[in-house]
């Protein structure tokens, strides 16, 4: 028939329904446990795996192998935990002035460092329980910014992404990722601006599980060019470009009074990266 019934945990029962035909083939719902998803989610749940592990397992089951052989990657050093403290005075005031809440600041483990008579806000790049990198930003001088030397380029915010999430936003700055998290959108940030894509190689395996990637780059020429380059690398079929009305970025949109519903609307209006030769009917 159209549906298969059973139980998502492998026990006897008829609480689980799986669509077998049509455009939603593979979509399932376990009404007893209130869970659902696609076949990869079900594979992961049944075998108690992460989605990334389920993808590897499913490839082996189907006889699919990656065509590119593993290649040697550069070696990076893990930075020592920086000498810092909970944001106070200048650092905290700057973060709050950007519309961020104390809960958001704490969730991202943002810290503050005093060095050479200046105050720096510390953005820790955490992944799999490790400190991978750290960025230091002087709130009084945007040009006074640095990262840990020799650290691995990677995305900011991994420690707050649900392992089961299949949709994620990627931003051009840490403050923008924190903004989207605050309004309920799982988000990451690049480490070095719109034109630097070194993070792709290092986070490729972690990004493989996402079927919907919202590229929330700055609404300017450099940002849109960078978003298109990233989409070409990650896969045009799973990337969409998001703009926040006339605001330059997500944080500016928040400071302009945007609500969570406004951000959700912008996400729903995200545009696919169609080939340049393809024109809309309205054009």
């Amino acid at each position: 028939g159209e549906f298969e019934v059973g139980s998502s945990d492998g026990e006897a029962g008829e609480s689980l329904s799986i669509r077998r035909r049509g455009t939603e083939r593979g979509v399932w719902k376990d009404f007893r446990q209130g869970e659902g998803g696609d076949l990869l989610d079900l594979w992961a749940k049944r075998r108690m795996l992460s989605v990334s592990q389920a993808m590897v397992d499913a490839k082996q089951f189907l006889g699919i192998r990656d065509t590119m052989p593993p290649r040697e990657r550069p070696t990076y050093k893990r930075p020592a935990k920086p000498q810092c403290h909970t944001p106070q005075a200048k650092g905290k005031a700057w973060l709050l002035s950007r519309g961020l809440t104390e809960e958001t600041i704490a969730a991202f483990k943002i810290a503050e460092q005093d060095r050479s008579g200046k105050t720096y806000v510390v953005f820790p790049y955490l992944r799999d329980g490790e400190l991978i990198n750290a960025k230091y930003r002087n709130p009084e001088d945007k040009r006074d910014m640095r990262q840990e030397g020799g650290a691995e380029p990677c995305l900011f915010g991994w420690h707050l992404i649900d392992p089961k999430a299949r949709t994620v936003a990627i931003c051009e700055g840490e403050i923008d990722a924190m903004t989207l998290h605050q309004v309920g959108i799982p988000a990451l940030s690049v480490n070095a601006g719109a034109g630097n894509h070194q993070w792709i190689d290092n986070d490729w395996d972690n990004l493989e599980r996402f079927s919907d990637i919202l590229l929330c780059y700055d609404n300017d020429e450099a940002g849109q060019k960078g978003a298109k380059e990233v989409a070409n690398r990650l896969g045009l079929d799973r990337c969409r470009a998001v703009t926040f009305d006339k605001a330059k970025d997500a944080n500016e949109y928040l400071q302009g009074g945007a609500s969570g519903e406004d951000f959700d609307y912008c996400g729903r209006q995200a545009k696919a990266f169609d080939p340049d030769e393809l024109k809309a009917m309205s054009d």
Side-chain angles (χ1 to χ4, degrees), residues 84-103:
C84 53
H85 51 78
T86 303
Q88 303 166 1
K90 292 180 182 179
K92 184 176 181 179
W94 177 67
L95 292 166
L96 294 175
S97 74
R98 303 295 294 266
L100 301 176
T101 65
E102 293 194 25
E103 291 77 11

Side-chain angles (χ1 to χ4, degrees), residues 8 15 21-22 32 38 69 178:
S8 61
S15 63
R21 298 176 184 170
R32 177 167 59 85
D38 59 21
M178 295 172 70

Side-chain angles (χ1 to χ4, degrees), residues 29-143:
K29 178 74 174 180
D30 191 322
F31 297 95
R32 177 167 59 85
Q33 299 188 16
E35 298 180 331
D38 59 21
L39 278 182
L40 273 176
D41 294 314
L42 184 59
W43 190 296
K45 176 176 173 55
R46 179 67 183 85
R47 303 194 178 199
M48 293 183 290
L49 303 171
S50 68
V51 174
S52 297
Q53 292 170 328
M55 292 178 73
V56 174
D57 206 11
K59 282 182 181 180
Q60 293 176 346
F61 176 79
L62 295 169
I64 298 172
R65 64 183 182 86
D66 294 321
T67 56
M68 294 295 290
R71 59 186 177 84
E72 186 176 349
R73 293 185 176 182
T75 56
Y76 302 100
K77 67 178 183 180
R78 295 288 187 258
K81 183 179 179 181
Q83 295 295 317
C84 53
H85 51 78
T86 303
Q88 303 166 1
K90 292 180 182 179
K92 184 176 181 179
W94 177 67
L95 292 166
L96 294 175
S97 74
R98 303 295 294 266
L100 301 176
T101 65
E102 293 194 25
E103 291 77 11
T104 298
I105 296 168
F108 281 89
K109 303 183 185 298
I110 307 302
E112 186 178 280
Q113 183 183 82
D114 300 312
R115 189 177 72 252
S116 304
K118 299 179 180 179
T119 297
Y120 293 87
V121 174
V122 184
F123 298 91
Y125 282 60
L126 303 166
R127 189 184 65 200
D128 299 329
E130 279 191 283
L131 178 66
I132 308 298
N133 193 3
K135 183 181 287 188
Y136 303 82
R137 161 78 187 272
N138 182 347
E140 296 181 331
D141 183 359
K142 184 177 181 179
R143 295 169 298 178

Side-chain angles (χ1 to χ4, degrees), residues 222-239:
Q224 296 310 297
K225 179 176 181 292
K228 184 64 177 293
E229 292 169 353
V230 169
N232 278 316
R233 293 279 301 277
L234 296 183
L236 295 174
D237 59 313
R238 61 175 179 155
C239 291

Side-chain angles (χ1 to χ4, degrees), residues 100-109 156-162 168-169 171 173-189 216 244 250-251 254 260 263:
L100 301 176
T101 65
E102 293 194 25
E103 291 77 11
T104 298
I105 296 168
F108 281 89
K109 303 183 185 298
F156 169 79
W158 275 117
H159 68 290
L160 293 176
I161 302 299
D162 187 334
V168 72
C171 307
E174 295 87 357
I175 295 291
D176 293 320
M178 295 172 70
T179 297
L180 293 180
H181 169 86
Q182 186 167 293
V183 298
I185 300 173
L188 301 162
S189 169
C216 305
F244 301 103
N251 187 250
L254 177 71
F263 279 93

